[in-house]
């Protein structure tokens, strides 16, 4: 018998060799119909894999992240199976599950790229194969056998991958119908669970991501266990197009890009700069009770700074290459992160235990190289500004400081209307310790500090093994926007390693020299990404306190421009952000244009308003309309702003 422990802590005994599917059946037939994979001792695996020893188990439905990954991983194989039938001799690269669906990199026998025009026949073939409900069978194979098998199938890229990347004893394949793929899994038990298919786009992709290698065709798709889910997803995509921050940012004149300036280098326009500065003001206000000290550090640093920190070894390929100066052996790097500079600030003078915690904050602009094909508006750029801070603390202060940062992040989310969010604790992968720096003891200590802080704050957080930074574990906040998409925003990281690498120390109460613990935190993540997410979450309808222009004054004709200017001056004296649209256009056109710019309030002025000293107010979106004295309108604006910002006090 084996003891199986469930997520709620309950324990049941089963016969040795029990599978996840059989466990689900023992609970309820409905559950068994809906599970797609299971987690055994924290590792996601197939439902038909036997369990031969005591274990913890989690049963994953499609709605779970792990379930989606399994479902879409198998769907990538289904796509490949369909392509193999439709395009004899086709070559396969890699085909993983991704956050929303999957892709497969392929090359047809004659080199003709597959286009979106081919999607209907591929989708039809995928559904035809899915309906066969073919079992998906895992097999462990020796390296020489795998090479022989894929060579016989004419799969050049797969053979290269086996020879160059895989070790004997670690290789497995999955087969369904007449298709076999090289894969670690996990997968569905059979293809029949896939009921709805949509191929979404096609792009070019280099083999192994190397621009010098062959260019393949990357086909993206998504699948669901119910057609209704696909329909809902397609509606969400249409809504996402309307909310695209690149489109709205252009309409609202927030930011721009220029090929002459360079790819992935955003330029903040006057209105966007106003938004950015207000974001900074909010965070400064939230930080004020916690005694943060703001600093400014250079946008470059000596190469040795990043060698000392360990960033050069780990991030060298993702950074811009070192800058050579006329002086021999002098090399600089564009700053890829702020932490090494802040370590130098700590080391600038002797520190005592009485000085800690030392909280150093910076809106620090950093530079990282992203491949051209991965750049996307403000979400993937080559320069961005982090709302960064580094807290240098004594070990016994870690948990309290961590909790205070959680408070700040939660206040940020409340302020911006992100009510739906979850936390993720990212830990080291104990099976691959070479990726990380620091001792086992240090990692255990820091991981426990994060878990305890979350528990004390009542913050439910899921645990992800292997997602930690190379220098320490972290707590990430995943926000769901208005249409249900997940975004990673705020982050907190515990770091026992960087202070050691910089030989930072403070004098303890007993006069001994001790190494401080470092906490990295960024409630927004970056101003660029946060702005992009906020635009898409609100569809550009920012909270009134944040929006660059709160009021547009629209004179009915040119003869009321003077009165419009009078209203403008009065409202500005009451701290209302306002402008006059004095174009020689009809009032209907002015209203439509300012609706497009997402101006929250429009004030229409004509003869009656001028004669009586009034304004005719119109709420954005064709809502409430009313006529009132200027002073009453100004009070309404300021009261609304005060209500929105009350949680910051």
């Amino acid at each position: 018998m084996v003891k199986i422990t469930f997520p709620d802590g309950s324990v049941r005994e089963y016969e040795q060799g029990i599978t996840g599917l059989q466990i689900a059946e023992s609970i309820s037939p409905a559950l068994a119909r809906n599970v797609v994979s299971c987690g055994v001792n924290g590792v996601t695996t197939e439902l038909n894999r036997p369990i031969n020893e005591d274990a913890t188990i989690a049963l994953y439905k499609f709605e779970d992240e792990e379930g989606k990954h399994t479902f879409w991983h198998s769907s990538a194989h289904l796509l490949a199976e369909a392509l193999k039938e439709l395009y004899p001799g086709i070559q396969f690269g890699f085909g993983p599950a991704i956050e929303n669906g999957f892709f497969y990199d392929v090359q047809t026998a004659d080199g003709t790229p597959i286009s979106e025009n081919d999607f209907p026949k591929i989708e039809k073939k995928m559904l035809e194969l899915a309906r066969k409900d073919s079992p998906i069978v895992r097999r462990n194979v020796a390296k020489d056998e795998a090479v022989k098998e894929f060579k016989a199938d004419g799969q050049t890229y797969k053979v290269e991958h086996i020879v160059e990347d895989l070790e004997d004893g670690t290789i497995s394949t999955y087969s369904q119908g007449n298709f076999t793929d090289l894969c670690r899994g996990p997968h569905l038990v059979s293809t029949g669970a896939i009921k709805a298919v949509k191929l979404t786009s096609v792009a070019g992709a280099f083999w192994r991501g190397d621009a010098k290698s062959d260019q393949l065709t990357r086909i993206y798709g998504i699948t669901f266990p119910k057609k209704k889910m696909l329909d809902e997803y397609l509606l969400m995509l249409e809504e996402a197009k309307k909310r695209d921050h690149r489109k709205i940012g252009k309409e609202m004149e927030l930011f721009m890009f220029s090929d002459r300036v360079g790819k992935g280098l955003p330029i903040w326009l006057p209105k966007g700069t106003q938004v950015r500065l207000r974001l900074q003001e909010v965070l400064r206000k939230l930080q004020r009770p916690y005694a943060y000290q703001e600093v400014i550090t250079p946008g470059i640093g000596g190469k040795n700074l990043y060698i000392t920190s360990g960033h050069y070894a780990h991030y060298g390929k993702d950074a811009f290459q070192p800058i050579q100066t006329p002086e021999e052996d002098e090399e600089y790097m564009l700053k890829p992160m702020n932490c090494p500079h802040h370590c130098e600030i700590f080391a600038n003078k002797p520190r005592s235990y009485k000085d800690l915690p030392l909280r150093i904050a910076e809106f620090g602009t950093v530079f990282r190289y992203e491949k051209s094909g991965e750049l996307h508006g403000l979400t993937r750029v080559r320069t961005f500004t982090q709302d960064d801070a580094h807290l240098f603390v004594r070990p016994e202060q870690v948990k309290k400081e961590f909790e205070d940062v959680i408070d700040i992040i939660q206040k940020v989310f409340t302020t911006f209307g992100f009510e739906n969010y979850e936390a993720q604790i990212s830990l080291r992968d104990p099976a691959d310790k070479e990726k990380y720096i620091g001792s086992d003891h240090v990692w255990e200590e820091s991981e426990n500090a994060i878990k305890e802080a979350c528990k004390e704050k009542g913050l439910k957080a899921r645990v992800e093994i292997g997602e930690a930074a190379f220098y320490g574990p972290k707590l990430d906040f995943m926000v769901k926007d208005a249409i249900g998409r997940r975004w990673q925003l705020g982050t907190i990281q515990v770091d026992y390693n960087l202070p050691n690498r910089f030989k930072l120390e403070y004098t303890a109460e007993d006069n001994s020299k001790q190494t401080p613990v470092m906490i990295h935190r960024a409630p927004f993540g970056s101003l660029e990404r946060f702005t992009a997410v906020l635009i898409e979450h609100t569809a550009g309808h920012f909270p009134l306190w944040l929006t660059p222009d709160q009021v547009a004054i629209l004179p009915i004709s040119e003869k009321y421009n003077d009165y419009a200017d009078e209203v403008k001056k009065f409202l500005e004296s009451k701290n209302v952000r306002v402008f006059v649209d004095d174009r020689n256009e009809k009032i209907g056109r002015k209203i439509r244009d300012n609706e497009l710019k997402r101006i929250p309030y429009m004030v229409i002025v004509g003869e009656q308003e001028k004669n009586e000293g009034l304004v005719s107010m119109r709420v954005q979106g064709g809502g409430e309309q009313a006529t009132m004295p200027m002073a009453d309108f100004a009070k309404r604006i300021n009261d609304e702003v005060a209500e929105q910002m009350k949680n910051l006090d």
Side-chain angles (χ1 to χ4, degrees), residues 214-468:
D214 297 346
Q215 184 160 29
L216 311 181
T217 300
R218 177 167 292 179
I219 302 171
Y220 289 92
I222 195 164
T223 55
F224 295 91
K226 296 177 183 175
K227 180 156 186 320
K228 183 185 174 188
M229 290 180 175
L230 173 59
D231 294 339
E232 289 169 351
Y233 176 77
L234 294 175
L235 281 174
M236 187 273 289
L237 282 187
E238 284 302 308
E239 183 62 27
K241 284 180 187 175
K242 297 176 192 171
R243 293 169 177 262
D244 190 322
H245 75 277
R246 296 167 298 176
K247 171 179 170 286
I248 293 174
K250 187 174 182 178
E251 292 168 350
M252 295 179 69
E253 299 177 358
L254 299 177
F255 60 88
M256 61 168 280
F257 291 89
S258 161
D259 286 340
R260 277 193 289 247
V261 172
K263 294 177 181 177
L265 305 177
I267 297 170
W268 292 81
L269 298 171
K271 295 182 191 300
T273 300
Q274 287 185 46
V275 170
R276 178 179 167 130
L277 290 173
R278 286 191 190 97
L279 292 177
Q280 293 180 198
E281 286 167 17
V282 162
L283 193 55
R284 285 187 175 117
K285 193 170 183 179
L286 286 172
Q287 289 174 173
R288 208 163 286 139
Y290 301 98
Y292 281 81
Q293 299 179 60
E294 199 165 333
V295 301
I296 300 172
T297 63
I300 64 172
K303 180 179 169 182
N304 284 332
L305 180 70
Y306 304 107
I307 290 173
T308 300
S309 69
H311 289 109
Y312 188 76
H314 285 264
Y315 285 111
K317 65 180 180 183
D318 299 321
F320 287 96
Q321 294 308 296
I323 304 164
Q324 309 283 335
T325 75
E327 198 161 320
E328 194 176 347
D329 296 328
E330 187 176 58
E331 289 184 290
Y332 287 87
M333 290 184 67
L334 290 173
K335 181 171 65 172
M337 59 282 300
N338 302 298
C339 18
H341 289 74
H342 293 185
C343 286
E344 290 295 287
I345 291 172
F346 183 94
N348 182 50
K349 65 179 185 179
R351 306 287 181 178
S352 157
Y353 71 95
K354 295 178 182 178
D355 300 323
L356 305 184
L358 176 66
R359 307 176 187 92
I360 297 172
E362 179 178 13
F363 291 100
T365 300
V366 298
F367 306 85
R368 297 182 192 173
Y369 181 75
E370 297 278 359
K371 293 175 183 174
S372 297
E374 294 176 350
L375 298 172
H376 184 84
L378 292 181
T379 60
R380 294 293 293 271
V381 289
R382 287 173 171 172
T383 180
F384 53 93
T385 301
Q386 295 177 305
D387 53 315
D388 221 351
H390 295 94
L391 288 65
F392 298 90
V393 304
R394 307 196 301 271
E396 64 271 20
Q397 297 170 326
V398 168
K399 188 155 70 73
K400 171 65 167 63
E401 291 298 312
F402 209 89
E403 290 172 2
D404 287 346
V405 176
I406 291 174
D407 284 341
I408 291 173
I409 290 175
Q410 289 179 323
K411 283 181 179 177
V412 165
F413 290 168
T414 301
T415 301
F416 293 96
F418 290 114
E419 296 170 359
N420 192 351
Y421 62 89
E422 59 186 30
Q424 175 181 302
I425 299 173
S426 298
L427 306 179
R428 180 178 65 159
D429 182 358
D432 190 11
K433 294 180 181 179
E434 289 184 7
K435 288 181 2 188
Y436 312 93
I437 57 178
S439 67
D440 290 347
H441 170 73
V442 157
W443 275 90
E444 285 169 19
E445 201 170 321
S446 53
E447 288 176 347
N448 287 335
I450 292 180
K451 291 174 185 175
E452 287 172 17
C454 289
K455 190 176 179 181
E456 296 234 346
K457 297 303 295 182
L459 182 66
K460 191 177 177 182
R462 63 193 189 99
V463 175
E464 286 288 341
I465 306 295
E467 294 295 317

Side-chain angles (χ1 to χ4, degrees), residues 548-564:
D549 295 309
Q550 296 169 321
V551 179
I553 302 173
L554 316 180
I556 288 176
S557 71
E558 288 182 1
K559 65 181 180 180
Y560 302 109
N561 285 355
D562 288 347
Y563 181 63

Side-chain angles (χ1 to χ4, degrees), residues 170-222:
T170 66
I171 302 170
S172 56
T173 63
Y174 285 80
S175 300
Q176 62 198 58
N178 296 317
F179 175 74
T180 296
D181 206 355
L182 190 73
C183 190
R184 287 196 299 268
H187 282 281
L188 299 171
V189 173
S190 66
T191 61
I194 302 168
K195 305 291 188 185
V197 172
K198 182 67 180 175
L199 300 182
T200 53
S201 64
V202 65
F206 293 109
W207 169 237
R208 293 177 174 273
D210 184 352
K212 296 176 183 174
S213 294
D214 297 346
Q215 184 160 29
L216 311 181
T217 300
R218 177 167 292 179
I219 302 171
Y220 289 92
I222 195 164

Side-chain angles (χ1 to χ4, degrees), residues 68-76 98-102 222-223:
K68 282 188 175 74
H69 189 276
T70 302
F71 198 93
W72 289 333
H73 198 168
S74 296
S75 300
I98 54 177
E99 186 175 1
N100 282 299
F102 55 89
I222 195 164
T223 55

Side-chain angles (χ1 to χ4, degrees), residues 212 488 607:
K212 296 176 183 174
Q488 195 268 304
E607 187 172 358

